[in-house]
Amino acid sequence: MPFGRAFDLDPSAVVKWMSHVALFVPIGFLKLLAPRRMRRTQRSWTAVTFFGVCMATGVSALKLFVYSRYFDTTDILTGTLGVLLGWRVGRFFRAHWQQFAASSLEMPTSETAQRWRRAWCGLLLLAWLAAIGYLYWRPFDFTTDPAQFTADSEDLPLYGFRRMTWIPLADYYWGSKYHALDLFLLKAISFAPLGGLAAILVKDSYRAGTATAVVIVALLLASGIETGRYFLPSRAPSTADIFIASGGAWLGFCFARHVRASLWVDRLRRSPLKWDRGLHLLQS
């Protein structure tokens, strides 16, 4: 039965569903951006839904052969929803940057359009911050009582009123390699939207020092998050997560910047005049 755990009112189940949706969003996003020779019927919502069902079902079916995993029909529905969301976001992203390419060559972008773009990016940034805060600080039981941190591993040195290590990656050593890989991917992917929003919001994202500024902002945000986790008995602060999160923001920035430039060039190639003017802008 799909969403069977919803009747248990388990907050961790909701987080798992949302994470599974987010994992399948890039599939729909890339499916829209990559192909250029599909028939119109293959670009419809019905075709995308069928594609999402096939992808989610295939991934879930393979989990039947993995001893440490279990099959859940909920993953098929959430995965399909993620593909559809990625497809819709890709449509908006393509139309937005193609229009931006045209306006940059034909007429300057209006102040109203720039304000709307900043407003949307600001709302998405606030939504991302709320999601990150919930993901990393849940259940928000902040405390400074040393008796609440007795569950910390004895293998770690004692700093302050709880045990932790300042050496990056040392805390990952004591767990399994699969768990370490899961944490690496989770921390990197969770901060990738920050870099993507920065690439969309900054007009001249190729200016020297822009990527460095994004990494510095990610370092500050990740440091603040890990500082809060230090006061959560059920969470384990890690200095390695700060660098992993910063790397994820940098990768998100580079990926979004590359997609933005690709859509811009794709728009210019449709017109020889715009292509010549676009090459002149790139050279300048």
Side-chain angles (χ1 to χ4, degrees):
M1 179 183 298
F3 301 101
R5 297 179 62 184
F7 300 101
D8 300 332
L9 300 178
D10 185 7
S12 62
V14 179
V15 176
K16 180 180 180 298
W17 298 335
M18 295 176 62
S19 302
H20 201 261
V21 171
L23 288 175
F24 275 80
V25 165
I27 298 178
F29 185 84
L30 295 175
K31 177 174 174 56
L32 179 73
L33 297 183
R36 299 296 296 160
R37 297 181 180 178
M38 293 192 306
R39 297 189 300 271
R40 184 171 298 274
T41 55
Q42 294 178 323
R43 299 196 298 265
S44 64
W45 284 101
T46 305
V48 177
T49 303
F50 178 75
F51 172 78
V53 171
C54 292
M55 291 294 297
T57 303
V59 172
S60 298
L62 290 175
K63 293 166 67 175
L64 286 171
F65 304 96
V66 182
Y67 179 77
S68 58
R69 300 293 179 178
Y70 61 91
F71 184 90
D72 189 355
T73 54
T74 307
D75 294 343
I76 299 177
L77 300 181
T78 54
T80 304
L81 177 61
V83 173
L84 291 174
L85 287 177
W87 173 268
R88 185 66 184 90
V89 171
R91 289 181 59 182
F92 172 79
F93 192 82
R94 174 184 287 276
H96 175 74
W97 285 115
Q98 286 182 344
Q99 183 181 4
F100 176 77
S103 62
S104 63
L105 297 177
E106 298 166 1
M107 59 189 315
T109 307
S110 64
E111 289 293 332
T112 304
Q114 292 181 1
R115 288 197 210 99
W116 274 107
R117 186 176 65 177
R118 295 192 188 100
W120 275 110
C121 289
L123 290 176
L124 290 175
L125 181 60
L126 291 176
W128 173 79
L129 286 173
I132 286 294
Y134 181 80
L135 180 64
Y136 284 86
W137 286 351
R138 182 174 56 90
F140 304 98
D141 52 345
F142 297 96
T143 181
T144 57
D145 182 11
Q148 301 296 324
F149 300 96
T150 56
D152 287 347
S153 176
E154 296 293 336
D155 296 323
L156 299 177
L158 180 62
Y159 291 98
F161 51 80
R162 71 173 307 179
R163 294 185 177 275
M164 64 169 294
T165 177
W166 290 98
I167 303 176
L169 302 178
D171 47 347
Y172 281 75
Y173 174 80
W174 302 106
S176 67
K177 54 183 179 294
Y178 303 110
H179 182 63
L181 179 60
D182 289 343
L183 292 179
F184 262 83
L185 294 177
L186 175 63
K187 302 299 172 58
I189 293 176
S190 62
F191 268 75
L194 175 63
L197 289 174
I200 296 174
L201 187 60
V202 178
K203 184 177 182 180
D204 189 6
S205 58
Y206 283 92
R207 181 182 303 172
T210 305
T212 304
V214 172
V215 173
I216 292 175
V217 172
L219 277 171
L220 295 176
L221 287 175
S223 299
I225 290 175
E226 294 303 319
T227 301
R229 288 165 64 92
Y230 183 82
F231 300 96
L232 294 170
S234 58
R235 299 291 182 173
S238 173
T239 55
D241 293 345
I242 299 176
F243 300 102
I244 296 173
S246 303
W250 178 78
L251 289 175
F253 176 79
C254 294
F255 174 77
R257 187 174 61 176
H258 174 73
V259 173
R260 171 182 172 178
S262 299
L263 294 178
W264 189 68
V265 172
D266 183 63
R267 172 77 181 208
L268 298 178
R269 293 179 62 184
R270 299 182 183 184
S271 172
L273 177 61
K274 294 178 182 178
W275 177 251
D276 295 336
R277 297 174 65 182
L279 288 178
H280 176 71
L281 288 177
L282 290 175
Q283 292 173 357
S284 61

